Amino acid sequence: MSTTAREAHLTIDPAFRVAPVRRRTFGTFVEHLGRCVYTGIYEPGHPSADEDGFRRDVLDLTRELGVSTVRYPGGNFVSGYRWEDGVGPRERRPRRLDLAWHSTETNEVGVDEFVAWCRKAGVEPMMAVNLGTRGIAEAVDLLEYCNHPSGTALSDRRIANGAKQPHDIRMWCLGNEMDGFWQTGHKTAREYGRLAAETARAMRMVDPDLELVACGSSGSSMPTFGAWEAEVLEHTYDVVDLVSCHAYYEEKDGDLGSFLACSTDMEYFIRSVVATADHVGARLKSRKRIDISFDEWNIWYLSRHQAAEPPRDWPVAPPLLEDHYHLADAVALGGLIITLVRNSDRVTAASLAQLVNVIAPIMTEPGGRAWRQTTFHPFAQASRYASGEVLRVEPVSPSYETAEYGEVPLLHAVATRADDGGVTVFAVNRSTDGPLSLEIDARALGGVRVTGATTLTDADVYARNTADQPDRVAPRANPHVEQDPLRVLLPPVSWNVIHLG
């Protein structure tokens, strides 16, 4: 790569529509893991805590992040979870061992508190049921407790516990990562497919309009990838609406170039699952279409977690998976967001895992401050500015060679067009040693100008935000804009938002 600006180009035409922008793309995830719940969203006695013990500073940051849905309560945690433990008077709730994360769960927060928190945050709850150590009856019981108005033992129990109105949770995950050997109650595809299908049928007897998600693969590198989806969907195709994908990425052995191109793998993952789902639909002669819920995705330095010594005791809310993100992490995450939005015709829901402290865009100190990690900003800007229709753009740019993905373009981009006609371009420059001069052909939009441009970058690609320097890495106005032709200079290793109007 040279140190001078290379040239890149993309064309925007409002006729090239992909799909509506899906608000559920901007979902996140709250699991009973580490400090995500306790000293994350919930900390009675904190200076900012409200009357229910929820941290107002975290609520404010959740709203600023632009979260649409929150998946709960897991994750690996859900495969050993007894939902009944987390309802009713707190003083009567049992403490349990959490096998997934070798912790003690106090059950101070359960489904009623979680839904109450969602209402305060203005987000839609998304619930997972335990298909690891439990099954059909317990899933139906939880659904009845949450959604039935009144007049039954479980719905009246919810009312007695203070939730007079039904929670009306519409989206339900049928277990979590059941293909993984690490999962409590791990199953074969046939075992899980049968159980998920029967659970879905029973849940639909209670409420036929639920949106149900079957477990797909825990990653594209799983040995059963593809075969798992095919077998599971053979059993569940007619009774579920979506199949899940999970993917995490990290920089390995200093290979920054491959890391910045990790969205290449996400693209492959999506295409492969779509092809498999459509093949099963064709085999079953079904006109129904199965979409994707990419309900775990993020930058996660999993190798550090795997190398760590397992705890010898069973602590309450220990600090686990608290990755501190730098600029390059934020740019890689921006590329993943672009890929999700580009595939909005089939990816109709997604959950950044997780929301607070645990591989999260928001960090907190127990009893102290909360701040935005670098990864907060691409997510927040995409959620704020992506609206209306996704437009298909096929950037033309120089490429570079990566060890992991072969030849990859320097520019990764997508555009959206709002109802008022304004267009926003989201773009990542993957170059590590030079800017990229992006020319935008917007003639089909008719006389538009660049009305604003921001960039997330830093001279140090490993710069981080901290409680003492919470804004070290944050979006800044990009001064390098030309109007005729429309041209914006994208700094090396940068996330960029460009507004046209």
Side-chain angles (χ1 to χ4, degrees):
M1 301 179 189
S2 70
T3 56
T4 58
R6 294 175 175 83
E7 300 286 334
H9 179 274
L10 61 81
T11 300
I12 297 175
D13 190 320
F16 298 159
R17 299 182 182 91
V18 174
V21 173
R22 313 287 186 177
R23 284 304 307 158
R24 281 178 171 170
T25 299
F26 304 105
T28 60
F29 181 24
V30 165
E31 180 172 5
H32 287 252
L33 193 180
R35 298 194 308 113
C36 187
V37 175
Y38 307 115
T39 72
I41 67 170
Y42 178 77
E43 190 178 355
H46 188 275
S48 75
D50 67 12
E51 67 281 3
D52 295 317
F54 297 121
R55 288 183 59 152
R56 288 189 177 94
D57 55 353
V58 173
L59 279 167
D60 289 342
L61 287 172
T62 300
R63 296 184 194 104
E64 182 185 339
L65 187 61
V67 175
S68 58
T69 63
V70 177
R71 182 169 170 252
Y72 177 86
N76 296 346
F77 173 82
V78 78
S79 291
Y81 183 52
R82 306 174 195 184
W83 68 266
E84 304 93 331
D85 291 347
V87 300
R90 281 200 175 96
E91 64 273 13
R92 299 180 188 173
R93 297 182 188 181
R95 295 163 68 94
R96 301 277 190 192
L97 297 183
D98 168 26
L99 304 183
W101 302 108
H102 209 278
S103 306
T104 296
E105 173 55 48
T106 66
N107 286 301
E108 294 170 73
V109 171
V111 61
D112 293 325
E113 289 83 12
F114 170 69
V115 172
W117 179 86
C118 287
R119 303 300 184 230
K120 292 172 186 268
V123 303
E124 176 189 0
M126 176 181 176
M127 188 65 62
V129 299
N130 177 357
L131 294 188
T133 57
R134 309 188 94 182
I136 300 168
E138 294 87 352
V140 171
D141 285 351
L142 177 57
L143 174 61
E144 180 184 324
Y145 179 89
C146 289
N147 285 9
H148 194 69
S150 64
T152 66
L154 289 169
S155 59
D156 288 347
R157 184 178 176 187
R158 183 198 70 242
I159 293 169
N161 289 336
K164 295 183 179 180
Q165 298 301 316
H167 295 326
D168 194 30
I169 300 171
R170 308 316 306 161
M171 200 169 188
W172 295 75
C173 301
L174 301 171
N176 174 74
E177 293 186 353
M178 299 310 299
D179 63 327
F181 64 86
W182 57 85
Q183 201 69 215
T184 309
H186 160 62
K187 293 172 173 57
T188 66
R190 184 177 185 278
E191 290 168 340
Y192 169 71
R194 288 290 307 279
L195 177 58
E198 295 308 320
T199 303
R201 289 188 182 96
M203 293 177 74
R204 290 198 186 281
M205 291 177 187
V206 177
D207 186 341
D209 298 323
L210 297 176
E211 296 173 72
L212 301 179
V213 185
C215 286
S217 292
S218 305
S220 62
S221 62
M222 292 293 290
T224 55
F225 176 55
W228 173 274
E229 282 81 1
E231 175 79 13
V232 167
L233 289 175
E234 286 279 352
H235 296 287
T236 62
Y237 200 94
D238 290 335
V239 291
V240 302
D241 305 285
L242 304 102
V243 62
S244 71
C245 295
H246 292 179
Y248 295 98
Y249 302 95
E250 63 180 301
E251 183 183 348
K252 299 175 183 176
D253 301 320
D255 185 0
L256 180 58
S258 291
F259 176 52
L260 293 172
C262 63
S263 58
T264 305
D265 176 76
M266 179 183 268
E267 185 79 40
Y268 160 77
F269 199 164
I270 293 168
R271 288 199 312 267
S272 300
V273 173
V274 165
T276 303
D278 289 350
H279 171 71
V280 173
R283 276 176 41 81
L284 298 176
K285 297 180 173 56
S286 174
R287 295 188 179 276
K288 177 181 177 180
R289 190 178 79 171
I290 299 292
D291 288 326
I292 290 175
S293 174
F294 218 117
D295 49 41
E296 287 190 35
W297 68 275
N298 205 345
I299 307 304
W300 177 15
Y301 285 84
L302 177 60
S303 59
R304 297 175 190 166
H305 169 66
Q306 292 172 330
E309 286 287 327
R312 298 185 180 184
D313 55 359
W314 296 84
V316 174
L320 294 175
L321 315 186
E322 296 195 3
D323 286 353
H324 294 270
Y325 293 119
H326 47 60
L327 171 71
D329 295 325
V331 173
L333 183 137
L336 298 173
I337 293 172
I338 288 170
T339 297
L340 292 171
V341 175
R342 283 175 63 91
N343 288 279
S344 293
D345 55 332
R346 297 305 293 267
V347 179
T348 59
S351 302
L352 176 71
Q354 295 188 14
L355 179 64
V356 191
N357 291 326
V358 178
I359 52 172
I362 300 170
M363 291 297 295
T364 71
E365 296 171 330
R369 298 166 289 184
W371 67 96
R372 306 166 192 82
Q373 292 230 63
T374 61
T375 54
F376 183 100
H377 298 294
F379 189 101
Q381 287 191 302
S383 179
R384 179 177 180 181
Y385 296 120
S387 66
E389 296 281 339
V390 180
L391 302 182
R392 185 170 303 284
V393 297
E394 299 299 338
V396 177
S397 88
S399 59
Y400 69 108
E401 192 66 27
T402 68
E404 195 160 351
Y405 306 113
E407 193 171 311
V408 175
L410 290 175
L411 177 66
H412 190 37
V414 70
T416 62
R417 186 172 189 245
D419 293 340
D420 64 5
V423 169
T424 302
V425 177
F426 304 95
V428 160
N429 178 10
R430 294 167 170 151
S431 172
T432 59
D433 63 0
L436 197 60
S437 179
L438 173 60
E439 183 176 334
I440 301 172
D441 182 348
R443 287 173 292 181
L445 299 174
V448 299
R449 295 171 57 83
V450 176
T451 57
T454 62
T455 188
L456 185 75
T457 192
D458 195 279
D460 178 4
V461 297
Y462 299 111
R464 292 175 167 85
N465 293 340
T466 64
D468 293 326
Q469 288 187 301
D471 298 316
R472 163 67 191 271
V473 180
R476 318 284 187 203
N478 187 338
H480 303 292
V481 174
E482 299 175 17
Q483 299 291 357
D484 190 16
L486 301 181
R487 193 186 301 271
V488 181
L489 192 67
L490 312 182
V493 190
S494 63
W495 157 266
N496 301 272
V497 180
I498 303 162
H499 304 285
L500 307 177

